[in-house]
Amino acid sequence: MTHSSSTQEIPAPGAVPRHVAIIMDGNGRWAKGRRLPRIAGHRRGVEAVRETVRACVERGVEYLTLFAFSSENWRRPADEVALLMQLFQVALASEVDKLHRNGVRLKVVGDTGRFDPAIRRLIEQGERLTAENRRLTLTVAANYGGRWDILQALSRLLAQSPAPADRVLDESALAPYLAMSYAPEPDLFIRTGGEQRISNFLLWQLAYAELYFTDTLWPDFDAAALDAAFASYRQRERRFGRTGEQTAAAKRAEVA
Ligand code: IPE
Ligand code: IPE
Ligand code: MG
């Protein structure tokens, strides 16, 4: 199933965001503050992931998307990259069964071809095992970049149906080829760790997401921090280009 774009159709409002996308930032600083190696922060970050997944399931979030490794993160020191890969592999090996028992569908988006075959195998197995689960779809963005996504979608679209010179492309032609075509666009974007930037995360899909930035470092993020983000989300008026009056009228019609 594909979902129409927020620039084409206005999604139904809800108290709980249907799709939450998070840039989990601040692991390194969390560790540094405790005079620990950066990897200790990444390890604690995995615990924050567990808690966030659990909290999202409890609150009825349908899609949770986590930025785990960006296409730019290869620039980090080789030993940190190697440890992150190892942590990803261990987390996949140890968490997938638990996710499955809890009705969570796992998806991994990004250019996974660059990963070790063992990691690629675990991704395939995890996605296959959990494919029918619908309580929550957990997407892990790994070696993901928003620009990569748009370009891979365009390349696949053109490979499917080579374009005559006069062909006009529209959004709905490209959308099915984007890496997250199975999900509606994020309603709420959260970035922990204090930076206020998108860092090449879901560029296309965040067109109308509500943006929420918190200084909380990712390893300290928990259910209460998630609720604070949701409380902020509930205060927002999502206009999607309309006036405030139109938005309020549409909301009244929804409630009636
Ligand atoms: C986010 O934490 C995790 C990854 C990018 C893999 P960081 O490692 O970026 O933590 P800071 O920003 O250095 O504190
Ligand atoms: C963004 O965090 C990527 C992930 C959380 C995976 P970074 O810490 O790498 O972002 P920048 O480079 O500071 O923007
Ligand atoms: Mg960072």
Side-chain angles (χ1 to χ4, degrees):
M1 178 187 165
T2 56
H3 296 264
S4 64
S5 150
S6 58
T7 55
Q8 313 260 294
E9 260 179 55
I10 296 167
V16 172
R18 203 172 161 211
H19 183 174
V20 179
I22 307 182
I23 296 188
M24 312 182 287
D25 197 17
N27 295 350
R29 280 163 287 163
W30 182 93
K32 198 173 169 203
R34 286 165 178 73
R35 299 177 187 283
L36 295 168
R38 292 178 59 86
I39 190 67
H42 297 313
R43 278 202 195 96
R44 279 298 289 261
V46 176
E47 285 176 37
V49 168
R50 266 187 222 118
E51 168 143 5
T52 303
V53 171
R54 190 182 330 119
C56 282
V57 168
E58 284 168 3
R59 284 153 186 73
V61 171
E62 289 176 60
Y63 298 87
L64 172 65
T65 302
L66 301 175
F67 205 5
F69 192 88
S70 77
S71 42
E72 288 69 42
N73 285 145
W74 297 106
R75 292 176 179 149
R76 294 193 176 196
D79 58 341
E80 179 168 346
V81 170
L83 286 168
L84 279 168
M85 292 299 147
Q86 207 180 71
L87 194 60
F88 187 33
Q89 183 168 343
V90 169
L92 281 167
S94 64
E95 302 294 322
V96 165
D97 282 338
K98 209 179 328 159
L99 291 173
H100 185 49
R101 281 199 303 277
N102 286 294
V104 176
R105 166 169 65 153
L106 175 71
K107 291 277 212 179
V108 177
V109 294
D111 190 1
T112 52
R114 198 163 160 186
F115 291 142
D116 195 82
I119 294 183
R120 293 202 322 252
R121 218 167 18 250
L122 285 166
I123 291 172
E124 269 168 44
Q125 289 168 356
E127 288 188 333
R128 206 176 324 115
L129 176 72
T130 63
E132 303 306 321
N133 298 341
R134 285 297 177 274
R135 225 167 143 200
L136 171 78
T137 296
L138 169 65
T139 300
V140 176
N143 194 21
Y144 179 88
R147 290 184 177 178
W148 165 83
D149 194 359
I150 294 167
L151 285 173
Q152 68 78 25
L154 191 58
S155 314
R156 290 200 296 143
L157 166 66
L158 295 179
Q160 286 290 316
S161 50
D166 59 354
R167 161 117 160 258
V168 181
L169 284 177
D170 60 14
E171 283 184 29
S172 56
L174 189 69
Y177 296 95
L178 290 164
M180 292 199 64
S181 60
Y182 53 86
E185 291 169 17
D187 301 294
L188 175 63
F189 161 94
I190 299 172
R191 182 173 186 143
T192 63
E195 313 297 347
Q196 304 197 358
R197 53 178 174 251
I198 303 288
S199 300
N200 199 17
F201 194 25
L202 302 157
L203 296 180
W204 177 284
Q205 298 87 340
L206 289 174
Y208 265 110
E210 295 299 327
L211 307 180
Y212 178 86
F213 298 95
T214 171
D215 290 337
T216 301
L217 302 172
W218 178 251
D220 292 326
F221 195 83
D222 57 12
L226 185 74
D227 286 335
F230 285 8
S232 168
Y233 174 79
R234 278 193 293 275
Q235 301 301 314
R236 313 286 179 94
E237 183 182 52
R238 304 191 75 192
R239 289 198 283 273
F240 297 100
R242 300 166 299 177
T243 66
E245 289 73 19
Q246 288 174 301
T247 309
K251 207 165 184 173
R252 278 196 302 275
E254 188 83 19
V255 175

